[in-house]
Amino acid sequence: MPLSDQQIAELLLSMRQRLDVLQEEISRKLGDSADELTTLDRVGDAGDLSQAIANSEIDMSEAIRDIEEWRGLRNAIRRVEEGHYGVCVDCGVDIPLARLRAQPIAVRCVECQSRAEHG
C-alpha cells in the first residue's frame, strides 16, 4: 500500500531533522580532525604523534560515514519530490512503512536488499 501524505510528511520531518544533526556533526568532526593535524608540529614524542594521527583518522572516518548518510537522506528527499519514494527500485513493490521509519534511505524492499547484498 502506498504511503499516505501524512506518513510522507512524518518521514520528511524525521529526515530533515536528521540532516540538521548530521550537518553539525560533520562540521564538528572535520574541524576536530583539522585541529588534530595542526597539533602535529607540537607533538612531544612518537606516542603523542601516533595518538594525534589516530584521533584525526577516527574523526575523518566518522565524518565520511556521516557524509554518506547525509547524501542518502538528500537522495531520499529528492525521491519524495519526484514521487518515487517508498517504492523498491528493483521490483517496484511498496517498501513497508516500518522499514522506512527504521531506514529512511532504503531504496529496496527487504527481499531485494538481501539479494543485492548477497548477490
Side-chain angles (χ1 to χ4, degrees):
M1 172 154 86
L3 298 170
S4 70
D5 290 343
Q6 182 179 357
Q7 291 167 330
I8 289 174
E10 169 196 326
L11 290 165
L12 274 173
L13 177 63
S14 174
M15 287 188 277
R16 288 183 175 129
Q17 289 172 338
R18 182 66 181 149
L19 278 174
D20 290 342
V21 169
L22 286 170
Q23 287 169 347
E24 290 176 20
E25 288 180 6
I26 291 166
S27 177
R28 181 182 52 77
K29 288 172 186 169
L30 291 177
D32 289 350
S33 181
D35 290 344
E36 290 287 337
L37 292 174
T38 60
T39 63
L40 293 181
D41 61 343
R42 298 187 304 263
V43 172
D45 61 20
D48 292 339
L49 175 62
S50 176
Q51 185 64 43
I53 291 171
N55 289 343
S56 179
E57 288 175 351
I58 289 169
D59 288 336
M60 288 298 291
S61 294
E62 290 175 352
I64 290 168
R65 182 197 64 223
D66 288 347
I67 289 168
E68 288 303 313
E69 182 182 355
W70 183 89
R71 285 180 179 154
L73 288 168
R74 292 294 303 150
N75 287 333
I77 291 170
R78 182 183 42 77
R79 288 193 310 276
V80 169
E81 292 167 352
E82 294 173 351
H84 304 292
Y85 185 73
V87 177
C88 179
V89 297
D90 291 345
C91 71
V93 169
D94 291 330
I95 300 171
L97 178 60
R99 174 161 170 71
L100 293 171
R101 282 184 174 144
Q103 188 69 8
I105 63 175
V107 295
R108 293 182 179 90
C109 66
V110 173
E111 187 175 320
C112 289
Q113 184 63 40
S114 180
R115 268 196 305 267
E117 289 174 0
H118 296 100

